[in-house]
Amino acid sequence: MDLTEMIAALEQALALSPDNAPLRLQLAALCMNADRWSDAEMHYKQVLINNPQDQKAKLGLARLFQRTDRLSAAIVIYDELYDRGVRDPELLLAYSRALVRDGSDNRAQQVYMELVAKAPNMADDELDSLFRLSGREVGDIEDGDDNDALDRLLIKPDVKFADVGGMDGVKKEIALKIIMPFRQPDLYKAYNKKAGGGILLYGPPGCGKTFIAKATAGEIDARFVSVGISDVLDMWIGNSEKNLAGIFGAARENTPCVLFFDEIDALGANRGHMKHSGGRHLINQFLSELDGTGSTNEGILIMGATNAPWHMDPAFRRPGRFDRIIFVPPPDQEGRKRILDLLLRGMPADDVDTASIAKVTDGFSGADLKGLIDACVEDKLADAFSSGKPEPITTRDMRKAAGRLRPTTREWFNSAKNYALYANDGGLYDEILKYMK
Ligand SMILES: Nc1ncnc2c1ncn2[C@@H]1O[C@H](COP(=O)(O)OP(=O)(O)OP(=O)(O)O)[C@@H](O)[C@H]1O
Ligand SMILES: [Mg+2]
């Protein structure tokens, strides 16, 4: 896939989710590579409108200014990021270069030394010779960066099923479909049932897909390898250190583990809808890794989550791949009560009648409930500032906040309904219709 094609592909993707900041940043970076300065500038600024503190967008904008000869504007941003303690190697390198061009050699050298200490593989010939660093000094600390990138994907979660409110149906299915076969492989073999294959969780945003995947790892005391959208984008762009083979390799070396692909529709997009061979190649590679071609996925529980399962290539649903598809609905009343109880743990709260709050929050996701409590906390803080005395959260506070807030899941159902009605592959999305009744 060449640059222009890649830009077109990302533009298409962005049209579907205009608020996706990582996607927009990636597109901006590609526009920079293609010397499409005004497009890049527009995208960086758009990200900053939504989130004025987005460091990546600021850094991008500064580099853009630098490339387009607005040096002092660039330095203003670099200064600010640097003074705020940002030490991203990319920033240090660009900052140091800008300072050199601005004639501030001392400061430039100081910044460059920091860079070399932190990320020796990013040493720069021109700056090296300017500041007369010997190759040795620079090379000394080299090596091991690839593993760092993968290590960052690996965690040992401290949440278990008990920390997840409601979701009883989902927990049961996960237990039956992947935890049991994992714990008792012999029993399953006796029935000639192969362990393996993955679970795909789908549903409206904020209802606990990512959370329960993490808790699955915690539940069986396994490691959690989480691959997010930005890792996936790196793969698209061909950033080798986090390629798919590397990620599956890291998982195989760290069994038992849960290998989790978040927002998997980005990686598993329908090949039929794709004009570009690069994307198809990545998906084929993903499929063959899932199949464990040439190696084994034993001891790896593969999970994925998405808001848009209909965008995924049907090949992902074949046996042995994501052959178990679970709908994660918004919590029911009982679930909401349990989530509220969990969220209020350790909070200054006054014996809140969570059951009554659960009753008036139909359609609220777990994340919405969290937002509800955050809103109460903010109110309480504002009160405490004027009275000088912190008061606990009460049932009344919560009911008041609930009246102001709207659930975020409805919109998802509006579009999901159409897929369930008109593209319901063999009843795949029946559960959506059942839930909506
Ligand atoms: N069942 C739950 N119990 C406790 N907390 C929950 C539950 N569901 C959601 N939350 C809270 O809401 C937050 C958001 O949930 P999570 O990120 O898992 O949603 P998601 O389904 O992955 O959403 P998205 O589709 O937007 O990625 C969690 O970090 C957690 O704090
Ligand atoms: Mg999620």
Side-chain angles (χ1 to χ4, degrees):
M1 189 154 39
D2 71 17
L3 198 53
T4 322
E5 287 176 326
M6 226 140 61
I7 289 178
L10 284 191
E11 277 172 347
Q12 265 178 25
L14 198 62
L16 294 173
S17 56
D19 291 332
N20 187 329
L23 200 61
R24 196 175 283 280
L25 288 171
Q26 208 59 246
L27 176 56
L30 289 184
C31 289
M32 291 272 280
N33 289 343
D35 294 349
R36 284 165 55 174
W37 309 118
S38 59
D39 287 338
E41 187 166 342
M42 187 265 290
H43 289 304
Y44 284 130
K45 286 185 171 162
Q46 188 60 46
V47 172
L48 286 171
I49 287 172
N50 290 334
N51 175 13
Q53 293 310 329
D54 192 301
Q55 282 176 13
K56 285 199 175 127
K58 278 195 183 166
L59 182 54
L61 199 59
R63 294 167 79 180
L64 179 114
F65 287 154
Q66 188 170 351
R67 295 278 293 276
T68 51
D69 288 323
R70 286 173 277 177
L71 191 61
S72 44
I75 289 181
V76 167
I77 302 181
Y78 291 142
D79 278 343
E80 188 216 319
L81 289 169
Y82 186 85
D83 290 344
R84 280 224 316 263
V86 180
R87 292 296 183 272
D88 181 300
E90 298 278 335
L91 166 73
L92 297 176
L93 181 59
Y95 190 24
S96 177
R97 281 187 181 143
L99 289 167
V100 168
R101 275 185 54 200
D102 194 45
S104 316
D105 279 16
N106 283 340
R107 176 104 161 147
Q109 176 163 16
Q110 178 201 330
V111 172
Y112 184 63
M113 296 304 284
E114 265 189 76
L115 168 68
V116 173
K118 217 176 136 60
N121 56 333
M122 283 185 61
D124 173 275
D125 287 346
E126 207 177 306
L127 294 172
D128 266 0
S129 61
L130 190 64
F131 302 131
R132 273 186 269 281
L133 292 177
S134 76
R136 197 61 248 143
E137 256 173 273
V138 175
D140 263 355
I141 357 180
E142 201 134 6
D143 167 57
D145 213 46
D146 272 24
N147 286 332
D148 279 3
L150 291 173
D151 282 347
R152 249 175 281 128
L153 303 171
L154 258 174
I155 59 165
K156 199 86 196 277
D158 51 5
V159 286
K160 291 186 182 261
F161 277 1
D163 300 295
V164 182
M167 302 186 82
D168 293 338
V170 179
K171 285 180 192 167
K172 212 151 121 199
E173 284 206 68
I174 292 178
L176 201 67
K177 288 174 176 166
I178 57 175
I179 294 184
M180 299 288 278
F182 169 79
R183 286 202 171 132
Q184 314 224 327
D186 294 342
L187 196 62
Y188 276 71
K189 267 188 207 128
Y191 288 95
N192 214 356
K193 211 167 158 22
K194 230 178 102 203
I199 282 194
L200 180 66
L201 305 170
Y202 78 96
C207 291
K209 296 182 293 297
T210 304
F211 201 43
I212 192 114
K214 203 191 243 177
T216 303
E219 191 68 17
I220 55 173
D221 199 25
R223 272 179 239 267
F224 187 62
V225 186
S226 173
V227 185
I229 180 135
S230 57
D231 307 302
V232 170
L233 287 170
D234 279 351
M235 290 179 223
W236 269 87
I237 311 302
N239 200 343
S240 61
E241 71 210 25
K242 274 193 241 155
N243 62 28
L244 263 181
I247 285 170
F248 273 86
R252 288 178 192 122
E253 273 170 28
N254 287 283
T255 55
C257 70
V258 170
L259 174 54
F260 177 59
F261 294 91
D262 211 350
E263 317 204 38
I264 193 174
D265 44 307
L267 185 56
N270 194 321
R271 284 169 297 182
H273 300 166
M274 233 177 241
K275 292 190 219 93
H276 312 294
S277 58
R280 277 200 294 274
H281 175 75
L282 187 63
I283 289 167
N284 289 332
Q285 194 197 342
F286 193 9
L287 291 171
S288 86
E289 289 290 354
L290 284 175
D291 294 342
T293 315
S295 42
T296 163
N297 290 338
E298 220 177 286
I300 308 181
L301 277 54
I302 298 174
M303 299 180 79
T306 175
N307 301 133
W310 29 82
H311 289 151
M312 286 185 65
D313 197 295
F316 279 95
R317 298 200 294 266
R318 298 247 177 80
R321 295 174 181 167
F322 289 99
D323 47 8
R324 287 152 285 188
I325 304 201
I326 301 181
F327 176 51
V328 180
D332 60 13
Q333 191 173 321
E334 182 53 34
R336 291 196 295 277
K337 177 184 166 0
R338 300 236 298 277
I339 293 172
L340 286 167
D341 287 336
L342 282 170
L343 291 172
L344 284 169
R345 272 189 313 198
M347 288 259 193
D350 212 20
D351 222 2
V352 173
D353 177 8
T354 45
S356 81
I357 306 300
K359 233 179 227 160
V360 297
T361 44
D362 191 38
F364 276 56
S365 67
D368 290 340
L369 294 173
K370 202 169 171 213
L372 173 71
I373 291 176
D374 288 345
C376 292
V377 169
E378 273 167 34
D379 290 350
K380 285 284 145 191
L381 276 175
D383 292 349
F385 275 127
S386 51
S387 71
K389 177 162 117 247
E391 298 278 356
I393 297 172
T394 66
T395 309
R396 226 180 115 232
D397 297 329
M398 302 252 318
R399 196 169 298 131
K400 231 167 69 191
R404 297 206 295 268
L405 297 172
R406 292 282 155 264
T408 57
T409 58
R410 300 251 154 87
E411 206 180 320
W412 185 86
F413 279 103
N414 284 340
S415 67
K417 186 177 69 187
N418 293 322
Y419 289 100
L421 284 175
Y422 308 115
N424 194 0
D425 274 336
L428 197 56
Y429 306 125
D430 281 352
E431 298 215 56
I432 296 178
L433 298 174
K434 214 162 83 195
Y435 177 85
M436 292 187 78
K437 276 222 184 91

